[in-house]
Amino acid sequence: MLSDFVDLVAGKLVNAVTGENGITLLILFATAFISALVAYWRTVEHKSFADFFSFALPKEVIMHPSARADLMFYITKRLIMPVLLIPAGIVFVALVGYGTNQLISFVFQIHGPLLEGQTPWWVLVLFTLSMLLAYDISYYLYHVAQHKIPFLWELHKVHHSAEVLVGITKDRVHPLDDLMNRMWDGVIPGICFGIWSIIALDPVELTVFGINVYAMRNLLMMDFVRHTHYKISFGPLDNYILSPHWHQLHHSADPRHYDKNFGLLLSVWDRMFGTAFVPDPDEEMKFGLLDRDKDDYQSLFGLYLLPLRKMAGHVAGWLGRRRPPAKEPTQP
């Protein structure tokens, strides 16, 4: 049993650093390193080689209990979640897409794709861009719901319970929250896919340097960097692309920052719906929850099981068995 487990872990490690995954990992760490250099150059007056590493990997951050919890949570999720989440995302998009295809075909009496033969390149470009937009608005809407609906907030608190941001904090997401997000992502992107399947037989997303556009999207939005303490902004582009500093404000425990900057890649949804907040370039932010039991979220029990127990309390309240748990202070 132990040897099988070791082989499993070793296989995952090899897969993570080879092929497309290896290129993605290389770009990710290069982006993080360059971001650290930029942030250091902008914020530190007296610069030195030794001070840069202290700035990039501050001891008080990487040794924080929240960082240790992130690491353990990251390892355990990586071992178990791909089995569940990757198929789920594909299945829900395919199901909704198929239903959309059949409904449109029935209503408009369309038999077969409108474009015969090989799909033109411009169709693939438009398909890719529309799917990216569909996923982006889908993420925004679900993220807002996570903050506004108490039942969903109990799961999303896992992500906001991080008291320091260490990159892999991006994966501090409860497995059930991940699964529900994939299910929701099947709706808008699935409808978009279904519409395109009426136009072309086999629309596929483009790749960049052999990397799927969705992986490239994650690199472009700097998901790893925006879950660090590096204050990276994009200047005027912040009006269109959500920079790491804008997302760091979303994790702030300051009441002024609650329920702001929900976006994933684009900041246009936040500006459109009035949830945008421009961070002060020099502002120091404190992260985490204000709940009485906030320290309980710095263990694997707290990250995996505490949200389920609190959700059960809400369900019991709905069923009238007992009063729902007292509402905690509003969180970011």
Side-chain angles (χ1 to χ4, degrees), residues 247-259:
H247 185 75
Q248 289 156 2
L249 180 141
H250 178 74
H251 279 265
S252 170
D254 188 327
R256 296 181 301 121
H257 303 155
Y258 289 0
D259 297 338

Side-chain angles (χ1 to χ4, degrees), residues 297-316:
Y297 287 89
Q298 308 310 326
S299 68
L300 288 182
F301 171 84
L303 293 173
Y304 279 108
L305 300 180
L306 182 58
L308 300 180
R309 190 175 71 184
K310 291 192 173 187
M311 290 172 68
H314 285 286
V315 173

Side-chain angles (χ1 to χ4, degrees), residues 15-283:
N15 183 62
V17 297
T18 57
E20 178 182 332
N21 290 332
I23 297 174
T24 303
L25 191 64
L26 179 62
I27 297 175
L28 185 150
F29 280 112
T31 304
F33 180 72
I34 294 172
S35 298
L37 281 175
V38 171
Y40 176 74
W41 188 263
R42 288 179 176 177
T43 57
V44 178
E45 184 175 354
H46 302 290
K47 302 172 180 61
S48 71
F49 184 77
D51 285 344
F52 167 72
F53 286 98
S54 296
F55 171 85
L57 299 171
K59 185 177 180 180
E60 64 272 16
V61 170
I62 62 175
M63 298 304 293
H64 194 282
S66 178
R68 293 198 298 269
D70 273 338
L71 179 60
M72 294 304 299
F73 195 64
Y74 178 84
I75 292 172
T76 53
K77 275 191 66 179
R78 286 292 153 181
L79 290 175
I80 63 175
M81 292 316 296
V83 177
L84 174 63
L85 293 183
I86 293 177
I90 296 172
V91 166
F92 286 114
V93 171
L95 286 176
V96 176
Y98 177 78
T100 302
N101 178 293
Q102 294 300 299
L103 179 61
I104 295 176
S105 298
F106 174 76
V107 172
F108 296 99
Q109 291 298 297
I110 299 174
H111 304 287
L114 300 177
L115 296 178
E116 300 290 344
Q118 185 176 0
T119 306
W121 68 267
W122 57 268
V123 171
L124 298 183
V125 171
L126 291 177
F127 168 70
T128 300
L129 291 175
S130 64
M131 288 294 288
L132 285 173
L133 285 174
Y135 273 110
D136 212 57
I137 185 61
S138 176
Y139 176 91
Y140 176 86
L141 294 174
Y142 184 73
H143 198 179
V144 171
Q146 287 174 307
H147 282 248
K148 299 299 184 181
I149 301 174
F151 185 79
L152 295 179
W153 172 243
E154 294 298 351
L155 288 175
H156 193 53
K157 278 165 68 174
V158 167
H159 188 60
H160 279 275
S161 66
E163 297 179 349
V164 294
L165 303 181
V166 291
I168 57 174
T169 305
K170 71 184 183 68
D171 291 314
R172 190 184 180 117
V173 180
H174 195 279
L176 181 57
D177 198 7
D178 256 335
L179 179 60
M180 293 171 66
N181 198 351
R182 299 298 176 99
M183 293 173 64
W184 167 251
D185 270 350
V187 179
I188 298 178
I191 292 173
C192 184
F193 182 85
I195 294 173
W196 276 105
S197 68
I198 293 290
I199 300 172
L201 177 63
D202 186 26
V204 294
E205 299 87 0
L206 299 176
T207 59
V208 181
F209 303 120
I211 302 175
N212 181 277
V213 289
Y214 300 128
M216 186 58 70
R217 175 201 62 184
N218 293 340
L219 295 172
L220 290 173
M221 74 184 189
M222 304 175 78
D223 200 18
F224 185 89
V225 174
R226 71 181 189 163
H227 288 95
T228 66
H229 60 286
Y230 309 146
K231 298 176 183 177
I232 301 295
S233 294
F234 298 151
L237 280 178
D238 281 336
N239 290 320
Y240 308 98
I241 306 295
L242 195 98
S243 67
H245 200 198
W246 277 47
H247 185 75
Q248 289 156 2
L249 180 141
H250 178 74
H251 279 265
S252 170
D254 188 327
R256 296 181 301 121
H257 303 155
Y258 289 0
D259 297 338
K260 301 296 182 182
N261 298 352
F262 288 107
L264 181 66
L265 174 61
L266 301 177
S267 59
V268 295
W269 315 119
D270 282 299
R271 294 194 295 111
M272 186 182 301
F273 296 109
T275 56
F277 193 109
V278 181
D280 185 330
D282 300 319
E283 183 174 5

